[in-house]
Amino acid sequence: MQHMKRMRYISGSIFKALPVLLALVLSGSLSAQDTLRTYGPRFGLDLARLIYLFTDPSETGAEASVDFEVYRNVYPVFELGFNSMSDSRELFDYSSSGAYGRGGVDYNVLSLKDRSAHHGITLGFRYGMSRFTQKVEDILIPEVYWGDFQAEDYENSLTGYWIELVGGMKAEVVSNFFLGWSLRYKILLNPDMDPVMVPEMIPGYGTGGEDRVFGFTYSIYYKIPLFKK
Amino acid sequence: MRFRTLFLLAGIFMAGCVSVEVCEEEYVSEMVARFKTMKEGTAADTTVSALSLYGIREGKIDSLFYDSIPASGFMVPLDPHHAYSSFVLQLDTLRDTLTVYYEREAYLISYTCGFANLFTLDHIEPSTGVIKNDSILMDMIDAAYETNEVHIWLYL
């Protein structure tokens, strides 16, 4: 059975968007010609999850985020999501599903003369936690002499913890609407969470068999303009 | 021409995103036994000139693991369907039945290879007295076999 290496799959559309985003960021010319900066919560939706529906239909999920510029160039951010996957293999059937959350801070390193321009290049970190259940059914252990053995099903509820280093870009393509991407380096803090079976998929993190993984998001955002100053 | 080159590169790139996994690990848990004799209070390795051995299986004909060959020990899989495995050993001209009792649980080798059984030995019962005594050296038996790994000694 072929297994898609998720971390190595990159959407072609993202490559096309990158130069557009960079041009928009460097020009800084989309916002109105005033010096007032708009503040408000910015809600995001990860579009990269939709790609998995085509590349790996056995996995579904969604992720939303919210951030707010509480201090110049400093953005606390919270992300919530869920993931579900199932994999029917020759020797066992595996499924994993659950929810996750991340909290952290992004810092905008892009300096623009126009304060009303909201593009950004950010560096940040996250602390992530996931509560999920993994289940293994129809376990078949081949045994030539004594006869193949059908083992008992296994199920376990687990909690995973990890930290992330995040780098990315956001560009305001239309007033209060943003497109952005992020690249993440994730470090799993409790890789031995299950003594019987390493989780195939930890929601929000990735494959539990690796202590270090890369992640990618491509999101659309809307900022609710609460006030300007 | 440029389009075809780009298409070819894209195809090579996408091919790198797909892989076929092959299991290269052992997935059968086998018990390793060594024959011993006591000489002046010390256990010494010994070899039988003709060892024949088969497992007692319900509803199946006997099938030999070893067929009258010289051996200083043997390696056999354990029966996952029961909490014990019974073997008939013929050592030269003498015959004995050996029953090994254990606990069993499944564990994951890898997602490619699937699961294997982990056996934890409890005790051993020979029957006719050809095997005079036994010792359990390593009670846990999994699919990963390491060189010189021995689980039980059988004293002749």
Side-chain angles (χ1 to χ4, degrees), chain A residues 146, chain B residues 31 77-87 99-104 118-123 139 141:
Chain A
W146 300 103
Chain B
M31 181 183 71
L78 299 178
D79 184 359
H81 303 278
H82 300 91
Y84 61 89
S85 297
S86 294
F87 303 93
T99 303
V100 183
Y101 294 85
Y102 44 77
E103 293 180 352
R104 181 212 58 80
L118 173 67
F119 297 95
T120 304
L121 299 178
D122 185 73
H123 66 281
D139 62 348
I141 303 172

PDB file of all heavy atoms in Angstrom, chain A residues 146, chain B residues 31 77-87 99-104 118-123 139 141:
ATOM      1  N   TRP A 146       1.833 -22.324  13.774  1.00  0.00           N
ATOM      2  CA  TRP A 146       0.685 -22.492  14.663  1.00  0.00           C
ATOM      3  C   TRP A 146      -0.606 -21.944  14.058  1.00  0.00           C
ATOM      4  O   TRP A 146      -1.685 -22.171  14.576  1.00  0.00           O
ATOM      5  CB  TRP A 146       0.950 -21.779  15.993  1.00  0.00           C
ATOM      6  CG  TRP A 146       2.155 -22.291  16.719  1.00  0.00           C
ATOM      7  CD1 TRP A 146       3.375 -21.696  16.802  1.00  0.00           C
ATOM      8  CD2 TRP A 146       2.253 -23.508  17.462  1.00  0.00           C
ATOM      9  NE1 TRP A 146       4.228 -22.451  17.568  1.00  0.00           N
ATOM     10  CE2 TRP A 146       3.565 -23.583  17.984  1.00  0.00           C
ATOM     11  CE3 TRP A 146       1.362 -24.548  17.759  1.00  0.00           C
ATOM     12  CZ2 TRP A 146       4.012 -24.639  18.769  1.00  0.00           C
ATOM     13  CZ3 TRP A 146       1.807 -25.604  18.534  1.00  0.00           C
ATOM     14  CH2 TRP A 146       3.110 -25.653  19.030  1.00  0.00           C
TER      15      TRP A 146
ATOM     16  N   MET B  31      11.413 -18.816  20.720  1.00  0.00           N
ATOM     17  CA  MET B  31      12.115 -19.157  21.961  1.00  0.00           C
ATOM     18  C   MET B  31      13.398 -19.911  21.609  1.00  0.00           C
ATOM     19  O   MET B  31      13.387 -20.830  20.791  1.00  0.00           O
ATOM     20  CB  MET B  31      11.221 -20.034  22.841  1.00  0.00           C
ATOM     21  CG  MET B  31      11.857 -20.412  24.162  1.00  0.00           C
ATOM     22  SD  MET B  31      10.818 -21.509  25.140  1.00  0.00           S
ATOM     23  CE  MET B  31      10.939 -23.033  24.207  1.00  0.00           C
ATOM     24  N   PRO B  77       8.957 -21.196  17.389  1.00  0.00           N
ATOM     25  CA  PRO B  77       7.923 -20.199  17.693  1.00  0.00           C
ATOM     26  C   PRO B  77       6.966 -20.766  18.738  1.00  0.00           C
ATOM     27  O   PRO B  77       6.794 -21.990  18.847  1.00  0.00           O
ATOM     28  CB  PRO B  77       7.219 -20.019  16.344  1.00  0.00           C
ATOM     29  CG  PRO B  77       7.388 -21.331  15.660  1.00  0.00           C
ATOM     30  CD  PRO B  77       8.710 -21.867  16.098  1.00  0.00           C
ATOM     31  N   LEU B  78       6.337 -19.880  19.507  1.00  0.00           N
ATOM     32  CA  LEU B  78       5.370 -20.296  20.513  1.00  0.00           C
ATOM     33  C   LEU B  78       3.950 -20.114  19.990  1.00  0.00           C
ATOM     34  O   LEU B  78       3.684 -19.280  19.120  1.00  0.00           O
ATOM     35  CB  LEU B  78       5.568 -19.492  21.805  1.00  0.00           C
ATOM     36  CG  LEU B  78       6.944 -19.663  22.456  1.00  0.00           C
ATOM     37  CD1 LEU B  78       7.065 -18.777  23.701  1.00  0.00           C
ATOM     38  CD2 LEU B  78       7.191 -21.123  22.829  1.00  0.00           C
ATOM     39  N   ASP B  79       3.047 -20.899  20.514  1.00  0.00           N
ATOM     40  CA  ASP B  79       1.664 -20.911  20.059  1.00  0.00           C
ATOM     41  C   ASP B  79       0.905 -19.716  20.631  1.00  0.00           C
ATOM     42  O   ASP B  79       0.660 -19.651  21.839  1.00  0.00           O
ATOM     43  CB  ASP B  79       1.019 -22.225  20.499  1.00  0.00           C
ATOM     44  CG  ASP B  79      -0.408 -22.372  19.989  1.00  0.00           C
ATOM     45  OD1 ASP B  79      -0.899 -21.444  19.319  1.00  0.00           O
ATOM     46  OD2 ASP B  79      -1.024 -23.416  20.273  1.00  0.00           O
ATOM     47  N   PRO B  80       0.489 -18.756  19.765  1.00  0.00           N
ATOM     48  CA  PRO B  80      -0.226 -17.582  20.295  1.00  0.00           C
ATOM     49  C   PRO B  80      -1.692 -17.870  20.644  1.00  0.00           C
ATOM     50  O   PRO B  80      -2.352 -17.052  21.278  1.00  0.00           O
ATOM     51  CB  PRO B  80      -0.125 -16.581  19.138  1.00  0.00           C
ATOM     52  CG  PRO B  80      -0.054 -17.435  17.917  1.00  0.00           C
ATOM     53  CD  PRO B  80       0.715 -18.665  18.316  1.00  0.00           C
ATOM     54  N   HIS B  81      -2.222 -19.018  20.198  1.00  0.00           N
ATOM     55  CA  HIS B  81      -3.640 -19.325  20.425  1.00  0.00           C
ATOM     56  C   HIS B  81      -3.904 -19.861  21.821  1.00  0.00           C
ATOM     57  O   HIS B  81      -5.073 -19.961  22.225  1.00  0.00           O
ATOM     58  CB  HIS B  81      -4.120 -20.338  19.386  1.00  0.00           C
ATOM     59  CG  HIS B  81      -3.917 -19.874  17.962  1.00  0.00           C
ATOM     60  ND1 HIS B  81      -4.803 -19.036  17.335  1.00  0.00           N
ATOM     61  CD2 HIS B  81      -2.928 -20.121  17.076  1.00  0.00           C
ATOM     62  CE1 HIS B  81      -4.369 -18.790  16.103  1.00  0.00           C
ATOM     63  NE2 HIS B  81      -3.236 -19.440  15.915  1.00  0.00           N
ATOM     64  N   HIS B  82      -2.862 -20.250  22.533  1.00  0.00           N
ATOM     65  CA  HIS B  82      -3.025 -20.793  23.879  1.00  0.00           C
ATOM     66  C   HIS B  82      -2.004 -20.145  24.812  1.00  0.00           C
ATOM     67  O   HIS B  82      -1.076 -19.468  24.362  1.00  0.00           O
ATOM     68  CB  HIS B  82      -2.801 -22.314  23.873  1.00  0.00           C
ATOM     69  CG  HIS B  82      -3.744 -23.055  22.979  1.00  0.00           C
ATOM     70  ND1 HIS B  82      -3.448 -23.326  21.659  1.00  0.00           N
ATOM     71  CD2 HIS B  82      -4.980 -23.561  23.218  1.00  0.00           C
ATOM     72  CE1 HIS B  82      -4.461 -23.983  21.113  1.00  0.00           C
ATOM     73  NE2 HIS B  82      -5.399 -24.138  22.038  1.00  0.00           N
ATOM     74  N   ALA B  83      -2.182 -20.416  26.104  1.00  0.00           N
ATOM     75  CA  ALA B  83      -1.245 -19.896  27.096  1.00  0.00           C
ATOM     76  C   ALA B  83      -0.084 -20.858  27.322  1.00  0.00           C
ATOM     77  O   ALA B  83       0.653 -20.719  28.290  1.00  0.00           O
ATOM     78  CB  ALA B  83      -1.983 -19.637  28.405  1.00  0.00           C
ATOM     79  N   TYR B  84       0.073 -21.833  26.462  1.00  0.00           N
ATOM     80  CA  TYR B  84       1.165 -22.800  26.571  1.00  0.00           C
ATOM     81  C   TYR B  84       1.463 -23.354  25.166  1.00  0.00           C
ATOM     82  O   TYR B  84       0.638 -23.252  24.241  1.00  0.00           O
ATOM     83  CB  TYR B  84       0.788 -23.960  27.496  1.00  0.00           C
ATOM     84  CG  TYR B  84      -0.405 -24.744  26.999  1.00  0.00           C
ATOM     85  CD1 TYR B  84      -0.249 -25.837  26.143  1.00  0.00           C
ATOM     86  CD2 TYR B  84      -1.698 -24.378  27.355  1.00  0.00           C
ATOM     87  CE1 TYR B  84      -1.341 -26.533  25.657  1.00  0.00           C
ATOM     88  CE2 TYR B  84      -2.794 -25.063  26.874  1.00  0.00           C
ATOM     89  CZ  TYR B  84      -2.613 -26.142  26.033  1.00  0.00           C
ATOM     90  OH  TYR B  84      -3.705 -26.828  25.555  1.00  0.00           O
ATOM     91  N   SER B  85       2.670 -23.916  25.034  1.00  0.00           N
ATOM     92  CA  SER B  85       3.043 -24.637  23.818  1.00  0.00           C
ATOM     93  C   SER B  85       3.636 -25.963  24.225  1.00  0.00           C
ATOM     94  O   SER B  85       4.432 -26.018  25.177  1.00  0.00           O
ATOM     95  CB  SER B  85       4.073 -23.856  22.992  1.00  0.00           C
ATOM     96  OG  SER B  85       3.561 -22.634  22.528  1.00  0.00           O
ATOM     97  N   SER B  86       3.269 -27.022  23.539  1.00  0.00           N
ATOM     98  CA  SER B  86       3.809 -28.353  23.841  1.00  0.00           C
ATOM     99  C   SER B  86       4.634 -28.851  22.671  1.00  0.00           C
ATOM    100  O   SER B  86       4.211 -28.766  21.512  1.00  0.00           O
ATOM    101  CB  SER B  86       2.670 -29.343  24.127  1.00  0.00           C
ATOM    102  OG  SER B  86       1.996 -28.995  25.309  1.00  0.00           O
ATOM    103  N   PHE B  87       5.803 -29.382  23.011  1.00  0.00           N
ATOM    104  CA  PHE B  87       6.721 -29.881  21.986  1.00  0.00           C
ATOM    105  C   PHE B  87       7.130 -31.309  22.338  1.00  0.00           C
ATOM    106  O   PHE B  87       7.316 -31.641  23.498  1.00  0.00           O
ATOM    107  CB  PHE B  87       7.980 -29.022  21.902  1.00  0.00           C
ATOM    108  CG  PHE B  87       7.708 -27.566  21.633  1.00  0.00           C
ATOM    109  CD1 PHE B  87       7.583 -26.664  22.677  1.00  0.00           C
ATOM    110  CD2 PHE B  87       7.576 -27.111  20.340  1.00  0.00           C
ATOM    111  CE1 PHE B  87       7.328 -25.322  22.436  1.00  0.00           C
ATOM    112  CE2 PHE B  87       7.321 -25.769  20.077  1.00  0.00           C
ATOM    113  CZ  PHE B  87       7.192 -24.881  21.139  1.00  0.00           C
ATOM    114  N   THR B  99       6.398 -28.802  27.874  1.00  0.00           N
ATOM    115  CA  THR B  99       5.310 -27.817  27.805  1.00  0.00           C
ATOM    116  C   THR B  99       5.808 -26.519  28.412  1.00  0.00           C
ATOM    117  O   THR B  99       6.304 -26.509  29.546  1.00  0.00           O
ATOM    118  CB  THR B  99       4.062 -28.315  28.544  1.00  0.00           C
ATOM    119  OG1 THR B  99       3.646 -29.574  27.987  1.00  0.00           O
ATOM    120  CG2 THR B  99       2.925 -27.305  28.398  1.00  0.00           C
ATOM    121  N   VAL B 100       5.657 -25.463  27.662  1.00  0.00           N
ATOM    122  CA  VAL B 100       6.112 -24.135  28.085  1.00  0.00           C
ATOM    123  C   VAL B 100       4.879 -23.273  28.336  1.00  0.00           C
ATOM    124  O   VAL B 100       4.010 -23.157  27.460  1.00  0.00           O
ATOM    125  CB  VAL B 100       7.000 -23.489  26.995  1.00  0.00           C
ATOM    126  CG1 VAL B 100       7.519 -22.149  27.467  1.00  0.00           C
ATOM    127  CG2 VAL B 100       8.151 -24.422  26.621  1.00  0.00           C
ATOM    128  N   TYR B 101       4.803 -22.671  29.519  1.00  0.00           N
ATOM    129  CA  TYR B 101       3.666 -21.817  29.886  1.00  0.00           C
ATOM    130  C   TYR B 101       4.100 -20.349  29.887  1.00  0.00           C
ATOM    131  O   TYR B 101       5.208 -20.024  30.314  1.00  0.00           O
ATOM    132  CB  TYR B 101       3.137 -22.200  31.271  1.00  0.00           C
ATOM    133  CG  TYR B 101       2.530 -23.570  31.318  1.00  0.00           C
ATOM    134  CD1 TYR B 101       3.329 -24.686  31.528  1.00  0.00           C
ATOM    135  CD2 TYR B 101       1.153 -23.747  31.145  1.00  0.00           C
ATOM    136  CE1 TYR B 101       2.768 -25.963  31.559  1.00  0.00           C
ATOM    137  CE2 TYR B 101       0.596 -25.016  31.189  1.00  0.00           C
ATOM    138  CZ  TYR B 101       1.406 -26.124  31.387  1.00  0.00           C
ATOM    139  OH  TYR B 101       0.854 -27.367  31.414  1.00  0.00           O
ATOM    140  N   TYR B 102       3.196 -19.476  29.453  1.00  0.00           N
ATOM    141  CA  TYR B 102       3.570 -18.058  29.313  1.00  0.00           C
ATOM    142  C   TYR B 102       2.325 -17.189  29.256  1.00  0.00           C
ATOM    143  O   TYR B 102       1.199 -17.680  29.146  1.00  0.00           O
ATOM    144  CB  TYR B 102       4.380 -17.865  28.032  1.00  0.00           C
ATOM    145  CG  TYR B 102       3.809 -18.604  26.839  1.00  0.00           C
ATOM    146  CD1 TYR B 102       2.696 -18.131  26.155  1.00  0.00           C
ATOM    147  CD2 TYR B 102       4.384 -19.810  26.429  1.00  0.00           C
ATOM    148  CE1 TYR B 102       2.159 -18.838  25.091  1.00  0.00           C
ATOM    149  CE2 TYR B 102       3.858 -20.519  25.353  1.00  0.00           C
ATOM    150  CZ  TYR B 102       2.755 -20.032  24.693  1.00  0.00           C
ATOM    151  OH  TYR B 102       2.218 -20.728  23.626  1.00  0.00           O
ATOM    152  N   GLU B 103       2.584 -15.888  29.312  1.00  0.00           N
ATOM    153  CA  GLU B 103       1.557 -14.886  29.020  1.00  0.00           C
ATOM    154  C   GLU B 103       1.915 -14.228  27.691  1.00  0.00           C
ATOM    155  O   GLU B 103       3.082 -14.175  27.313  1.00  0.00           O
ATOM    156  CB  GLU B 103       1.492 -13.828  30.126  1.00  0.00           C
ATOM    157  CG  GLU B 103       1.009 -14.379  31.448  1.00  0.00           C
ATOM    158  CD  GLU B 103       0.952 -13.322  32.532  1.00  0.00           C
ATOM    159  OE1 GLU B 103       1.437 -12.198  32.291  1.00  0.00           O
ATOM    160  OE2 GLU B 103       0.429 -13.614  33.612  1.00  0.00           O
ATOM    161  N   ARG B 104       0.898 -13.755  27.001  1.00  0.00           N
ATOM    162  CA  ARG B 104       1.125 -13.195  25.671  1.00  0.00           C
ATOM    163  C   ARG B 104       0.427 -11.853  25.517  1.00  0.00           C
ATOM    164  O   ARG B 104      -0.674 -11.658  26.023  1.00  0.00           O
ATOM    165  CB  ARG B 104       0.595 -14.167  24.610  1.00  0.00           C
ATOM    166  CG  ARG B 104       0.800 -13.713  23.172  1.00  0.00           C
ATOM    167  CD  ARG B 104      -0.330 -14.222  22.278  1.00  0.00           C
ATOM    168  NE  ARG B 104      -1.631 -13.771  22.744  1.00  0.00           N
ATOM    169  CZ  ARG B 104      -2.109 -12.560  22.510  1.00  0.00           C
ATOM    170  NH1 ARG B 104      -1.416 -11.666  21.819  1.00  0.00           N
ATOM    171  NH2 ARG B 104      -3.305 -12.232  22.988  1.00  0.00           N
ATOM    172  N   LEU B 118       4.503 -10.646  22.104  1.00  0.00           N
ATOM    173  CA  LEU B 118       5.503 -10.642  23.169  1.00  0.00           C
ATOM    174  C   LEU B 118       5.089 -11.703  24.187  1.00  0.00           C
ATOM    175  O   LEU B 118       4.004 -11.618  24.770  1.00  0.00           O
ATOM    176  CB  LEU B 118       5.558  -9.270  23.835  1.00  0.00           C
ATOM    177  CG  LEU B 118       6.438  -9.170  25.086  1.00  0.00           C
ATOM    178  CD1 LEU B 118       7.905  -9.362  24.716  1.00  0.00           C
ATOM    179  CD2 LEU B 118       6.253  -7.823  25.780  1.00  0.00           C
ATOM    180  N   PHE B 119       5.923 -12.718  24.364  1.00  0.00           N
ATOM    181  CA  PHE B 119       5.648 -13.795  25.308  1.00  0.00           C
ATOM    182  C   PHE B 119       6.474 -13.578  26.566  1.00  0.00           C
ATOM    183  O   PHE B 119       7.663 -13.280  26.481  1.00  0.00           O
ATOM    184  CB  PHE B 119       6.013 -15.157  24.704  1.00  0.00           C
ATOM    185  CG  PHE B 119       5.199 -15.515  23.497  1.00  0.00           C
ATOM    186  CD1 PHE B 119       5.674 -15.244  22.221  1.00  0.00           C
ATOM    187  CD2 PHE B 119       3.958 -16.130  23.636  1.00  0.00           C
ATOM    188  CE1 PHE B 119       4.924 -15.575  21.098  1.00  0.00           C
ATOM    189  CE2 PHE B 119       3.212 -16.469  22.519  1.00  0.00           C
ATOM    190  CZ  PHE B 119       3.686 -16.183  21.250  1.00  0.00           C
ATOM    191  N   THR B 120       5.845 -13.757  27.722  1.00  0.00           N
ATOM    192  CA  THR B 120       6.554 -13.711  29.008  1.00  0.00           C
ATOM    193  C   THR B 120       6.460 -15.095  29.633  1.00  0.00           C
ATOM    194  O   THR B 120       5.380 -15.536  30.042  1.00  0.00           O
ATOM    195  CB  THR B 120       5.932 -12.664  29.939  1.00  0.00           C
ATOM    196  OG1 THR B 120       5.928 -11.396  29.282  1.00  0.00           O
ATOM    197  CG2 THR B 120       6.735 -12.552  31.225  1.00  0.00           C
ATOM    198  N   LEU B 121       7.598 -15.795  29.688  1.00  0.00           N
ATOM    199  CA  LEU B 121       7.624 -17.172  30.183  1.00  0.00           C
ATOM    200  C   LEU B 121       7.258 -17.240  31.660  1.00  0.00           C
ATOM    201  O   LEU B 121       7.698 -16.408  32.458  1.00  0.00           O
ATOM    202  CB  LEU B 121       9.008 -17.777  29.966  1.00  0.00           C
ATOM    203  CG  LEU B 121       9.475 -17.877  28.510  1.00  0.00           C
ATOM    204  CD1 LEU B 121      10.886 -18.450  28.450  1.00  0.00           C
ATOM    205  CD2 LEU B 121       8.523 -18.719  27.692  1.00  0.00           C
ATOM    206  N   ASP B 122       6.479 -18.257  31.988  1.00  0.00           N
ATOM    207  CA  ASP B 122       6.097 -18.452  33.383  1.00  0.00           C
ATOM    208  C   ASP B 122       6.826 -19.664  33.980  1.00  0.00           C
ATOM    209  O   ASP B 122       7.550 -19.544  34.968  1.00  0.00           O
ATOM    210  CB  ASP B 122       4.581 -18.638  33.485  1.00  0.00           C
ATOM    211  CG  ASP B 122       4.128 -18.724  34.925  1.00  0.00           C
ATOM    212  OD1 ASP B 122       4.138 -17.669  35.594  1.00  0.00           O
ATOM    213  OD2 ASP B 122       3.819 -19.844  35.376  1.00  0.00           O
ATOM    214  N   HIS B 123       6.607 -20.835  33.413  1.00  0.00           N
ATOM    215  CA  HIS B 123       7.344 -22.011  33.865  1.00  0.00           C
ATOM    216  C   HIS B 123       7.340 -23.064  32.760  1.00  0.00           C
ATOM    217  O   HIS B 123       6.602 -22.952  31.772  1.00  0.00           O
ATOM    218  CB  HIS B 123       6.758 -22.585  35.159  1.00  0.00           C
ATOM    219  CG  HIS B 123       5.369 -23.148  35.013  1.00  0.00           C
ATOM    220  ND1 HIS B 123       4.250 -22.353  34.989  1.00  0.00           N
ATOM    221  CD2 HIS B 123       4.942 -24.428  34.886  1.00  0.00           C
ATOM    222  CE1 HIS B 123       3.178 -23.122  34.854  1.00  0.00           C
ATOM    223  NE2 HIS B 123       3.567 -24.382  34.783  1.00  0.00           N
ATOM    224  N   ASP B 139      12.931 -14.199  30.410  1.00  0.00           N
ATOM    225  CA  ASP B 139      11.526 -14.605  30.340  1.00  0.00           C
ATOM    226  C   ASP B 139      10.745 -13.896  29.247  1.00  0.00           C
ATOM    227  O   ASP B 139       9.652 -14.317  28.915  1.00  0.00           O
ATOM    228  CB  ASP B 139      10.845 -14.409  31.696  1.00  0.00           C
ATOM    229  CG  ASP B 139      10.841 -12.961  32.137  1.00  0.00           C
ATOM    230  OD1 ASP B 139      11.561 -12.141  31.521  1.00  0.00           O
ATOM    231  OD2 ASP B 139      10.137 -12.624  33.103  1.00  0.00           O
ATOM    232  N   ILE B 141      10.135 -12.816  25.412  1.00  0.00           N
ATOM    233  CA  ILE B 141      10.485 -13.245  24.064  1.00  0.00           C
ATOM    234  C   ILE B 141       9.718 -12.365  23.074  1.00  0.00           C
ATOM    235  O   ILE B 141       8.480 -12.391  23.040  1.00  0.00           O
ATOM    236  CB  ILE B 141      10.113 -14.720  23.831  1.00  0.00           C
ATOM    237  CG1 ILE B 141      10.788 -15.606  24.876  1.00  0.00           C
ATOM    238  CG2 ILE B 141      10.498 -15.150  22.414  1.00  0.00           C
ATOM    239  CD1 ILE B 141      10.330 -17.047  24.844  1.00  0.00           C
TER     240      ILE B 141
END
